[in-house]
């Protein structure tokens, strides 16, 4: 070829010829090695552990539930700007955003109420009077003018319009409070002994440990977006129980005896896997934890759960099911690997018996460990307070107490630091607000979730039923021992019906062959907690709501007439008899009453 090429053309030709030679060696263009497919980047950042768990699940050929996909696409914590835009537009969330908004503590509760409910975070249930007063202002300005005390010693504000959700959340921050992570797949409000620091019986003041765990959660994004919700409680051995055995993690203050190879004194005993709605109470692991190490141990446990919790079935996604599948020793070994150290195990006999709680300690007047001071347990009708009552309670705490209000898992509150001289004045002030510190044994143990009046899952109006039971029975039955009656609206068991002496779980009761139903309940009996822990068993199915008060009346009368002695509790009485015998005794009692 006589053609002259430019320098650039010559370089191209040389490269072309070299390329042909390389292709010939490799066996031609058609057999050239395929280009390497791009590899998916390893997850990084605070969400990495959760995303790795999701990827493993999919690699195993299992399908993530929609909530898991949503968390991977946009964790609820990252939705705040969109949430504020929705508020400016006056619209409620739709689809999976209803789930995302719960990360901020806002629950869209339609169709029961076309509004938000906000659930707070109140570690150990303790509030300053000015915080309580401020919450009342927020409930008046942005909500329905009332609040509910929950079974996690927390507060809910309801009837919040679409425009006001973020404003309410920011108002809470101004009070030094937050609702962050109080809903969805997160670690919920941290509970502790309500009389911590003032209880003459307590082994340990739980407030600093609950507060440390609370701040640890808030400061670490990697502890959000778990496979499912997670509950942690600290019980100091005081007169009012924290119901820690209903939690995923329970820390129980115990006294360690000398001579068992560990330092004597007060430790936490570790119990795991409580979820009473799934028929399980937390079980003793044999592990004890130094109180100052509780946060580190809880952190490791939660991280094992993040790695191995079920992300394909919401009904099997709680810690209990990891423990059931693995056994406790395998789970504790994985926890130790996360911790980088061995947990301390002791024989049961090394632990001294724990002090027993007082089942009426959350109502009435009780002497504190501080000489001359008392706590006053205020009875709230199934947990509800108007904002006017909240303002009044804050004023009493400021003027006649130590400035604090303490919420309890029994849906009431405690005014602490009341001097002996001021007790009558506090009682008179409560009476002026339509409240009291005095309660019958029946009403003191009455617990009810929101139910159908404010929750889309509710099958019956639980608070109305609870009040109807109290009004019906108090004039007909003279109960002389504490009785716990838990009324819950559905299988989620927010009112923990399985630990009540009597538990009612909402159900739709068939009333015709055409499929018509009315509100009603399945009734269980014989539950308990603490040293008397037990899961209640079913006594009746499909009791109409209107018939529930009479059924409870009959059961109470059968117990009082046939108990083994004056000290036999209702729970022990019902456990001693088979359901068919109990039903016969109740029928007999009701017939005698007619």
């Amino acid at each position: 070829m006589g053609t002259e090429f430019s320098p650039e053309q010559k370089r191209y030709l040389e490269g072309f010829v070299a390329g042909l030679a390389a292709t010939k060696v490799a066996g031609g263009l058609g057999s050239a090695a395929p280009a390497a497919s791009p590899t998916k980047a390893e997850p990084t950042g605070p969400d990495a552990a959760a995303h790795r768990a999701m990827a493993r699940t999919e690699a195993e050929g299992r399908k993530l539930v929609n909530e898991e996909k949503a968390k991977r696409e946009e964790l609820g914590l990252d939705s705040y700007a969109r949430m504020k835009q929705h508020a400016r537009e006056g619209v409620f969330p739709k689809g999976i955003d209803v789930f995302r908004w719960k990360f901020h503590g806002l629950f869209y509760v339609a169709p029961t109420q076309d509004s938000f409910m906000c659930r707070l975070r109140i570690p150990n249930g303790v509030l300053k009077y000015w915080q309580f007063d401020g919450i009342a202002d927020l409930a008046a300005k942005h909500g329905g003018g009332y609040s509910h005390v929950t079974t996690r010693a927390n507060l809910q504000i309801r009837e919040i319009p679409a425009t006001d959700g973020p404003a309410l959340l920011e108002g809470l921050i101004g009070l030094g409070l937050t609702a962050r992570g109080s809903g969805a797949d997160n670690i919920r409000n941290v509970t502790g002994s309500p009389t911590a620091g003032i209880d003459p019986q307590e082994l340990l003041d739980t407030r600093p440990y609950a507060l440390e765990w609370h701040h640890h959660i808030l400061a670490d994004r990697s502890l959000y977006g778990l496979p499912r919700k997670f509950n942690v409680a600290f019980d100091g051995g005081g007169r009012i129980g924290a119901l820690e055995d209903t939690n995923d993690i329970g820390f129980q203050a115990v006294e360690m005896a000398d001579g068992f190879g560990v330092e004597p004194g007060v430790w936490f005993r570790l119990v795991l896997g409580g979820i009473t709605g799934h028929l399980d109470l937390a079980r003793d692991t044999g592990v004890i934890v130094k109180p100052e190490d509780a946060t580190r141990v809880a952190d490791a446990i939660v991280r094992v759960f993040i790695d191995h919790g079920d992300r394909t079935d919401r009904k099997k996604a709680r810690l209990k099911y990891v423990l059931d599948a693995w056994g406790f020793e395998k789970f504790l070994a994985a926890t130790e690997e996360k911790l980088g150290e061995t947990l301390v195990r002791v024989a049961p006999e090394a632990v001294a018996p724990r002090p027993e709680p007082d089942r009426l300690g959350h109502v009435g007047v009780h002497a504190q460990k501080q000489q001359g001071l008392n706590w006053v347990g205020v009875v709230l009708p199934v947990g509800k307070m108007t904002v006017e009552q909240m303002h009044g309670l804050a004023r009493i705490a400021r003027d006649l107490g130590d400035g604090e209000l303490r919420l309890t898992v029994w849906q009431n509150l405690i005014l602490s630091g009341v001097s002996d001289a001021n007790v009558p004045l506090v009682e008179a002030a409560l009476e002026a607000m339509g409240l009291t510190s005095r309660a019958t044994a029946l009403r003191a143990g009455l617990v009810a979730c929101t139910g159908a009046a404010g929750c889309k899952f509710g099958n019956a109006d639980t608070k109305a039923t609870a009040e109807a039971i109290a009004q019906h029975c108090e004039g007909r039955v003279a109960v002389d021992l504490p009785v716990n009656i838990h009324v819950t609206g559905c299988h989620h068991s927010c009112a923990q019906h399985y630990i009540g002496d009597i538990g009612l779980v909402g159900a739709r009761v068939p009333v015709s062959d055409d499929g018509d139903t009315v509100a009603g309940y399945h009734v269980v009996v014989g539950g308990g907690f603490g040293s008397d822990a037990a899961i209640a068993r079913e006594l009746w199915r499909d009791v109409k709501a209107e018939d529930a008060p009479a059924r409870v009346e009959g059961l109470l009368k059968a117990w009082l007439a046939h108990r083994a002695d004056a000290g036999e509790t209702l729970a022990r009485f019902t456990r001693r008899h088979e359901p068919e015998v109990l039903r016969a005794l109740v029928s007999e009692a009701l017939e005698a009453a007619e």
Side-chain angles (χ1 to χ4, degrees):
M1 297 176 64
T3 307
E4 291 292 328
F5 296 108
S6 69
E8 291 80 5
Q9 290 172 322
K10 288 179 179 179
R11 283 194 293 272
Y12 171 79
L13 188 58
E14 289 169 356
F16 182 78
V17 172
L20 285 176
T23 301
K24 184 176 182 180
V25 170
L29 291 172
S31 60
S37 60
T39 58
K40 193 170 183 178
E42 177 72 12
T44 59
D47 303 331
H51 287 185
R52 283 194 296 267
M54 294 175 193
R56 283 196 303 271
T57 298
E58 291 177 319
E60 293 166 358
R62 298 188 294 151
K63 185 178 179 180
L64 296 174
V65 294
N66 289 335
E67 289 82 358
E68 292 300 310
K69 296 175 184 177
K71 286 183 283 190
R72 183 165 59 189
E73 292 165 3
E74 180 189 42
L75 194 68
L77 296 180
D78 300 328
S79 64
Y80 196 74
R82 289 197 302 111
M83 193 169 70
K84 291 202 72 169
Q85 182 59 36
H86 278 213
R88 285 189 287 269
E89 296 168 0
V91 296
F92 288 109
K94 295 179 180 179
I96 201 64
D97 278 345
V98 173
F99 172 73
R100 289 192 177 106
W101 271 218
K102 293 177 184 178
F103 277 71
H104 300 278
L106 285 181
F107 296 69
Y108 181 40
V109 293
T112 308
Q113 293 176 332
D114 192 29
S115 61
F116 285 123
M117 175 270 285
C118 181
R119 183 186 294 149
L120 281 61
R121 293 193 79 96
I122 305 171
N124 214 115
V126 181
L127 289 163
K128 300 296 184 183
Y129 75 87
W130 52 268
Q131 291 176 313
F132 199 75
D133 208 41
I135 294 168
D137 287 337
L138 292 174
K141 184 177 181 180
H142 302 294
Y146 62 93
S147 70
H148 286 156
V149 181
T150 77
T151 55
R152 290 203 65 75
N154 201 355
L155 286 175
Q156 291 180 355
I157 299 171
R158 307 190 72 90
E159 298 184 41
I160 303 162
T163 54
D164 286 30
L168 174 63
L169 297 179
E170 291 167 9
L172 291 173
I173 293 170
L175 295 170
L177 299 169
T178 185
R180 181 183 174 98
S182 62
D185 298 345
N186 299 304
I187 304 168
R188 302 298 180 82
N189 189 49
V190 185
T191 54
S193 297
T195 51
I198 63 174
D199 195 318
Q201 176 178 293
E202 72 181 0
L203 300 174
L204 175 142
D205 181 348
T206 60
R207 290 175 298 176
Y209 308 105
L211 190 62
E212 181 183 38
W213 178 238
H214 167 81
H215 286 301
H216 183 76
I217 298 164
L218 293 179
D220 193 335
R221 179 190 168 101
S222 67
L223 295 175
Y224 290 79
L226 279 59
R228 204 70 163 87
K229 73 174 184 177
F230 204 95
N231 292 326
V232 180
F234 298 81
D235 188 280
R239 291 183 59 191
I240 305 174
L243 293 184
E244 75 288 347
D245 49 2
T246 66
N247 287 252
D248 297 281
I249 301 176
F251 289 106
Q252 301 174 331
V254 292
E255 185 80 33
M256 296 301 302
D258 200 358
F260 289 91
V262 297
E263 181 183 346
V266 177
W267 293 61
F268 279 131
R269 178 166 57 193
L270 178 66
V271 299
L272 294 177
I275 173 172
T276 59
H278 294 225
L279 303 176
D280 219 345
L281 290 156
R283 288 162 278 170
D284 183 10
T285 61
V287 169
I288 58 171
V289 177
K290 279 285 190 182
E292 60 268 25
D293 292 334
T295 288
R296 290 197 308 113
V297 172
D299 178 273
I301 291 168
V302 170
R303 293 187 191 280
V304 174
F305 178 58
I306 290 170
D307 289 348
H308 300 285
D310 194 323
R311 297 176 184 269
T312 67
D313 183 353
R314 301 285 284 175
K315 295 178 181 178
K316 302 288 186 181
R318 293 292 295 275
L319 178 64
K320 161 190 161 58
Y321 293 100
V322 180
L323 293 168
D324 287 350
W326 283 15
F328 274 58
E329 282 310 310
K330 180 178 177 179
F331 186 87
L332 292 173
T335 301
E336 290 171 330
E337 186 176 348
K338 290 285 185 186
L339 269 177
E341 61 188 66
T342 302
L343 295 166
V344 179
R345 291 165 173 78
V346 295
E349 56 269 23
V351 180
R354 301 185 78 226
E356 287 293 328
D358 176 359
R359 290 177 65 177
L360 297 177
H362 60 286
V363 296
V365 179
H366 303 269
Q368 296 181 187
K369 65 167 62 174
Q370 294 82 9
Q371 186 68 32
L373 297 181
N374 306 272
W375 76 75
V376 180
V378 182
V379 180
L380 303 175
V382 285
K384 186 175 181 179
M385 298 173 288
T386 66
V387 294
E388 293 79 13
Q389 290 171 329
M390 293 177 71
H391 285 309
L393 288 163
R395 182 176 176 182
I396 294 172
R398 181 194 68 188
D399 296 343
L400 303 176
D402 59 12
E404 291 187 341
L405 301 97
R406 297 156 176 261
L407 308 177
T408 85
V409 297
W410 304 107
Q411 293 187 303
N412 73 324
L413 62 80
I414 287 169
L415 299 166
S416 52
V418 178
S419 69
D420 292 341
N422 280 336
V423 166
L425 187 55
V426 167
E427 291 181 319
L430 291 173
E431 186 176 348
M433 292 190 294
L435 297 174
T436 181
S437 65
R438 299 178 179 89
T440 62
L442 194 66
R443 194 175 285 272
L446 198 60
V447 175
C449 70
T450 303
C455 176
K456 66 181 179 181
F457 298 111
N459 292 311
D461 188 345
T462 52
K463 289 187 183 292
T465 298
E467 187 61 31
I469 288 171
Q471 290 184 5
H472 177 88
C473 293
E474 283 181 330
R476 292 173 170 84
V477 189
V479 174
D480 55 2
L481 291 176
V483 172
N484 285 1
I485 301 175
H486 295 239
V487 190
T488 199
C490 72
H491 67 278
H492 289 120
S493 188
C494 292
Q496 300 175 325
H497 58 285
Y498 279 119
I499 65 166
D501 295 291
I502 303 172
L504 296 88
V505 55
R508 300 304 301 179
V509 178
V511 292
S512 76
D513 294 335
D514 298 326
D516 298 319
T517 64
V518 297
Y521 300 90
H522 306 320
V523 181
V524 298
V525 294
F529 55 91
S531 62
D532 194 37
I535 296 293
R537 58 181 177 169
E538 190 170 275
L539 182 60
W540 291 295
R541 290 188 68 79
D542 295 335
V543 176
K544 294 179 184 178
E546 63 194 58
D547 297 332
R551 291 290 181 98
V552 173
E553 174 199 355
L555 185 55
L556 294 173
K557 285 183 173 178
W559 161 52
L560 294 174
H562 298 283
R563 58 187 175 180
D565 54 55
E568 185 176 42
T569 65
L570 176 57
R572 289 174 185 166
F573 169 78
T574 56
R575 292 172 202 163
R576 188 164 57 83
H577 294 88
E578 291 303 314
E580 59 271 18
V581 175
L582 286 173
R583 288 190 286 268
L585 292 174
V586 170
S587 296
E588 176 186 304
L590 289 175
E591 288 171 7
E594 290 179 354

